[in-house]
Amino acid sequence: MAKTLFYFIVFPGFLFTALVGLLVSWIDRKVTARVQWRVGPPLLQPLYDFVKLLGKETIVPQAGAKLTFLLSPLFGLAAVTIVSTLLWLVMISPKVTFLGDLIVVIYLLAIPSICVIIGGFASGNPLASLGASREMKMVLAYELPFILAIFTPVIQAQGAIRLGDLLQYQWANSIFLNSWSGLIAFVVAIICMQAKLALVPFDIPEAETEIIAGPYIEYSGVPLALYKLTRWMMLFVVPMFLVIMFMGGIVFSGWHILWGILKYVLLLVIIILMRNTNPRLRIDQAIKFFWGPMTILAVVGVILAFLGL
Amino acid sequence: MAKTIIPIGPYHPLQEEPEFFKLIVEGEKVLGLEIELGYNHRGIEKIAESKSYDQVLFLVERICGICSTSHPFASVNAVEDLADIKVPERALYIRSIIGELERLHSHLLWLGLAGHFIGYNTVWMWAWRYREPVLDIFEKITGNRQHYAMMKVGGVRRDIESDDIPQIWKMVDELLPILDMFKGAVMDDPVIHARLKGVGILTKEDVFEYGALGPTARASGVAIDVRKDDPYAAYPLVDWQVITQEEGDVFAKAVVRILEMYETIKIIKGCLDKLKVVGGEIDAKVKEIPPGEGIGRHEAPRGEVFHYVRSDGSNRPVRYKVRAPSYMNVPTNQKAVVGGTVSDATITLAAVDPCYCCTERMAVVDRKTGKKKLTGQDLIKLSQEKTLRIKREMGRIRG
């Protein structure tokens, strides 16, 4: 029992993910700043931001549904924590997990977005509702190609739906990225990941210059801090999920750890590059993009996987 | 679906100035737009009546921070029209150089902001970085990065030394490859095409109907430019083209501004060439302003600035009137924004490069109900009464 609690609260659960999330968000901000000829924030800036927000007054809008409004950030944070714990436990000892944990992870990864939607609608602000409805459309748009892309490795591994089995399959044979179907699915998954993280060009739900942060507009103080933390942790957890699914995860022995971290950094670089070299799409364009080219590409990946390519 | 109101303003990250656009939306679709100005009225026209002609130039310079030489430029044109002053040729070239350098930095500023509004923050930061050398040149030749105070009735306040000419030349030469880069980044980027093409279209008819000016009109195929239509300063003396685009969408407005920067550099170079050979005075040393009235126009980065001045022979104007281009351009959003989506509304609103502090008009509002006390008709009536009163005071009509 104590061990489980330790897993969830300290390592590899909440504390660890939160700290890495803070670090990763700093890297994101720093690199973005350097790309844009700015100096960028100091290393501890995300922590300062978080602590400062914790000390601020929490304002609940009168028109809002109080309980839903305050609880939704908590659920989002809990979901990310659980995903992170599962992923790391799987990598450390692939045999401990349960059957179907892959499906649980996919579900849990959708929960932060759903919390944003619920929180946005609960705040009773028209801009937040608009942002929440955009978020809802985005979830509907990117989940289909994302799940199809995740199915590709599953098919390659003869229907294994345990993360541990998928990892061991990759360690025994070769990583899924090494095949055509895997490559296609990986590209689709990266783009869907950008949408899941709500970064440019898919930061449509919270478009600052259009609807002023959308669903987050009424949040302040502790709930806003939790949302921010969730976002930073997602920036760590979602790429980690792709590393496990397509790149063989991190092997905990000697220099393999460094190699595993490099895989994550590669994905982080792609994310940062994408977000700095694109303008924001419009919601209808994003939906067309995900249901059109992305879904077709993902289906091609699935078919190729069935053909064993 | 129910109609909701999406407020853009009075305080909104889209604009750095207070203004209020009320978007009436159904889902994402914009059904109507109400424009409310008047949050920042400063009564500059009234203040101008209590300043001498030299002080008025400093005052109107502070109407706007970005096009801060456009207003004095139009103002000296107005006073010179009134007093029929012949400005020395060298001063004309210096005026044009200052005006065009301003256009350069203003268009770069807009380009950056436009990038920011569609979420492309890298373009924002880069455009503003490459705007810095222009401001540095301004500091070098006028002493200020903004508010250059170069204009003077009858000439200019400072000369451009021959030592400064190579520096300006070098700066614009170094800016050319940067412009090529922005041109490529905007005109060849498929995502920017997807975001801006066919968005916020303003047809030629709309331009005439609303009296749109500057790049907003030129992007709809109306080749209207005061520098060509009513030549002043050194613009007729150097070779350059008016840039137009036919589409009238936001993309065309961006293209017009980018291509205009090339023409601007052409004008600057032409004027610098002439400065090397044209010597002489830079000031006509005006002593007195006779009674009468005059108008002055200048093609500001955003369109035509119009100044009207009336003198009774004293050292200060009796009436001063300013019309900035945004006053004509902002209402075109009624056509451009309505029918589009909320996502497009912001970039369309920004595409006319609005400058609200230039445009502010007074509104009398009941504090309790928020309703306007005076309608347009009332204001016209008040204005007519005032004109009648002035005419009586000046002895034009009796009774």
Side-chain angles (χ1 to χ4, degrees):
Chain A
M1 185 62 201
K3 209 172 164 190
T4 320
L5 269 184
F6 179 80
Y7 283 154
F8 276 101
I9 294 174
V10 185
F11 182 88
F14 177 71
L15 265 184
F16 171 71
T17 320
L19 286 179
V20 179
L22 290 175
L23 178 72
V24 164
S25 79
W26 174 77
I27 295 175
D28 173 36
R29 284 169 70 175
K30 188 79 180 174
V31 174
T32 302
R34 298 312 297 173
V35 168
Q36 298 174 354
W37 303 97
R38 291 186 285 119
V39 178
L43 176 63
L44 291 181
Q45 190 62 48
L47 188 67
Y48 297 154
D49 289 354
F50 181 70
V51 172
K52 187 184 169 199
L53 275 179
L54 285 184
K56 292 274 177 189
E57 185 190 1
T58 303
I59 299 164
V60 182
Q62 273 184 346
K66 195 172 178 186
L67 196 66
T68 331
F69 181 75
L70 291 178
L71 274 185
S72 48
L74 261 182
F75 278 104
L77 189 67
V80 187
T81 308
I82 297 171
V83 173
S84 183
T85 316
L86 280 178
L87 294 183
W88 282 85
L89 284 183
V90 159
M91 283 192 290
I92 293 165
S93 50
K95 294 210 171 61
V96 297
T97 54
F98 50 91
L99 188 65
D101 53 358
L102 171 66
I103 295 170
V104 173
V105 165
I106 294 177
Y107 262 107
L108 288 177
L109 278 182
I111 285 189
S113 310
I114 292 167
C115 288
V116 168
I117 297 171
I118 294 173
F121 278 129
S123 66
N125 181 308
L127 289 171
S129 311
L130 193 63
S133 78
R134 285 183 179 187
E135 177 86 38
M136 197 147 61
K137 287 171 196 157
M138 282 303 288
V139 170
L140 291 175
Y142 67 69
E143 281 297 337
L144 177 65
F146 185 67
I147 290 170
L148 281 176
I150 296 302
F151 272 172
T152 313
V154 173
I155 295 161
Q156 284 189 352
Q158 277 94 39
I161 47 166
R162 270 179 51 156
L163 287 169
D165 293 348
L166 285 164
L167 268 182
Q168 279 178 327
Y169 183 88
Q170 292 186 74
W171 292 343
N173 303 295
S174 78
I175 58 170
F176 294 126
L177 194 51
N178 259 349
S179 60
W180 283 110
S181 60
L183 187 67
I184 292 174
F186 186 58
V187 171
V188 174
I190 284 180
I191 294 171
C192 292
M193 169 174 74
Q194 195 83 357
K196 238 181 179 12
L197 296 172
L199 294 174
V200 180
F202 305 114
D203 66 331
I204 307 164
E206 60 196 73
E208 182 210 348
T209 46
E210 291 165 20
I211 51 173
I212 334 177
Y216 304 107
I217 189 168
E218 291 289 353
Y219 278 99
S220 55
V222 180
L224 182 62
L226 293 186
Y227 264 136
K228 292 236 171 224
L229 190 65
T230 311
R231 292 281 304 270
W232 296 334
M233 285 160 75
M234 288 281 278
L235 190 57
F236 173 51
V237 170
V238 183
M240 231 29 242
F241 179 53
L242 292 201
V243 168
I244 290 178
M245 290 307 293
F246 294 96
M247 300 161 100
I250 297 177
V251 186
F252 285 89
S253 67
W255 64 275
H256 282 291
I257 299 178
L258 193 70
W259 178 234
I261 294 172
L262 271 182
K263 291 176 194 168
Y264 168 75
V265 170
L266 174 78
L267 280 182
L268 188 65
V269 167
I270 293 177
I271 291 173
I272 297 175
L273 274 184
M274 246 208 278
R275 108 184 182 88
N276 279 311
T277 51
N278 278 297
R280 185 187 308 122
L281 281 171
R282 223 165 40 218
I283 184 75
D284 54 320
Q285 290 167 339
I287 293 175
K288 270 183 206 144
F289 176 71
F290 279 113
W291 282 1
M294 280 300 109
T295 305
I296 293 169
L297 213 58
V299 169
V300 169
V302 169
I303 293 171
L304 284 179
F306 266 119
L307 298 175
L309 287 168
Chain B
M1 209 186 271
K3 281 181 197 168
T4 31
I5 287 171
I6 297 287
I8 296 183
Y11 298 100
H12 190 280
L14 176 69
Q15 306 285 2
E16 48 291 312
E17 296 167 73
E19 80 298 321
F20 191 21
F21 296 105
K22 212 188 263 178
L23 297 181
I24 299 151
V25 301
E26 202 182 84
E28 285 268 340
K29 198 172 160 61
V30 180
L31 299 179
L33 172 73
E34 281 175 34
I35 303 169
E36 298 265 346
L37 298 170
Y39 289 89
N40 206 11
H41 187 70
R42 291 170 292 170
I44 284 195
E45 290 174 2
K46 190 69 195 164
I47 303 173
E49 289 168 18
S50 64
K51 302 274 179 203
S52 74
Y53 286 101
D54 274 343
Q55 292 170 328
V56 162
L57 295 182
F58 294 110
L59 178 71
V60 295
E61 189 152 25
R62 270 137 193 91
I63 291 177
C64 176
I66 301 304
C67 40
S68 63
T69 216
S70 300
H71 287 283
F73 209 144
S75 184
V76 290
N77 282 347
V79 179
E80 281 154 14
D81 176 48
L82 186 159
D84 205 12
I85 297 162
K86 179 97 174 63
V87 182
E89 199 183 349
R90 188 172 170 84
L92 293 180
Y93 288 118
I94 294 175
R95 279 182 182 182
S96 284
I97 289 172
I98 298 295
E100 291 311 298
L101 281 174
E102 179 182 86
R103 192 179 320 278
L104 209 53
H105 96 72
S106 177
H107 280 357
L108 278 173
L109 180 119
W110 178 84
L111 190 65
L113 283 178
H116 173 54
F117 295 151
I118 56 170
Y120 204 160
N121 285 347
T122 309
V123 164
W124 177 26
M125 290 295 161
W126 281 48
W128 282 29
R129 179 188 186 269
Y130 290 115
R131 174 176 166 257
E132 280 301 304
V134 188
L135 298 182
D136 288 344
I137 281 295
F138 264 129
E139 192 173 7
K140 173 87 186 140
I141 60 177
T142 73
N144 285 324
R145 284 157 58 89
Q146 293 289 341
H147 298 307
Y148 326 112
M150 280 295 268
M151 299 299 161
K152 183 180 186 185
V153 175
V156 288
R157 222 164 268 282
R158 287 183 202 80
D159 203 352
I160 292 182
E161 309 286 339
S162 7
D163 303 351
D164 294 336
I165 293 175
Q167 286 191 28
I168 305 175
W169 198 281
K170 185 161 159 270
M171 187 276 293
V172 290
D173 263 345
E174 281 170 358
L175 205 59
L176 276 174
I178 309 294
L179 288 184
D180 288 339
M181 180 190 77
F182 279 124
K183 196 172 140 195
V186 171
M187 289 166 100
D188 305 330
D189 188 324
V191 189
I192 287 189
H193 280 225
R195 251 339 275 284
L196 301 186
K197 272 205 168 162
V199 166
I201 294 176
L202 201 65
T203 61
K204 232 173 190 168
E205 289 71 38
D206 296 338
V207 167
F208 290 124
E209 194 182 328
Y210 283 89
L213 299 165
T216 310
R218 292 199 282 275
S220 301
V222 182
I224 167 176
D225 193 321
V226 185
R227 293 174 292 173
K228 274 271 191 259
D229 304 337
D230 179 15
Y232 60 99
Y235 293 115
L237 308 173
V238 287
D239 173 48
W240 61 282
Q241 302 291 321
V242 176
I243 302 288
T244 54
Q245 292 279 316
E246 291 302 320
E247 294 83 0
D249 52 6
V250 177
F251 188 75
K253 285 174 187 141
V255 170
V256 162
R257 289 200 174 90
I258 291 175
L259 295 182
E260 239 174 55
M261 283 194 266
Y262 287 96
E263 295 302 316
T264 289
I265 290 181
K266 223 156 111 189
I267 298 175
I268 293 173
K269 284 186 169 174
C271 288
L272 286 176
D273 266 338
K274 292 282 178 61
L275 266 194
K276 287 174 190 161
V277 288
V278 178
E281 280 294 307
I282 55 162
D283 187 3
K285 301 209 170 54
V286 180
K287 293 275 184 259
E288 260 177 45
I289 308 289
E293 54 186 359
I295 58 162
R297 313 204 282 175
H298 169 62
E299 183 73 19
R302 288 154 185 78
E304 176 196 329
V305 179
F306 179 93
H307 280 228
Y308 165 84
V309 61
R310 176 195 280 277
S311 159
D312 60 355
S314 70
N315 67 340
R316 44 187 73 165
V318 185
R319 175 78 177 99
Y320 204 90
K321 169 80 191 155
V322 177
R323 197 204 63 193
S326 297
Y327 188 67
M328 308 305 288
N329 286 338
V330 170
T332 62
N333 289 319
Q334 292 280 15
K335 284 277 182 220
V337 171
V338 175
T341 66
V342 178
S343 324
D344 291 336
T346 48
I347 183 64
T348 312
L349 287 173
V352 301
D353 199 359
C355 177
Y356 302 103
C357 53
C358 304
T359 304
E360 285 304 2
R361 293 297 185 271
M362 196 177 64
V364 186
V365 181
D366 189 334
R367 213 175 55 173
K368 287 208 182 93
T369 58
K371 289 260 159 40
K372 273 189 188 163
K373 271 185 174 169
L374 296 172
T375 62
Q377 292 298 323
D378 294 336
L379 288 172
I380 289 173
K381 204 168 142 232
L382 275 180
S383 153
Q384 284 168 342
E385 282 169 14
K386 188 186 172 190
T387 314
L388 217 65
R389 203 175 63 239
I390 291 177
K391 277 183 175 171
R392 269 198 210 107
E393 279 165 11
M394 292 184 79
R396 290 280 180 86
I397 51 170
R398 301 187 195 290

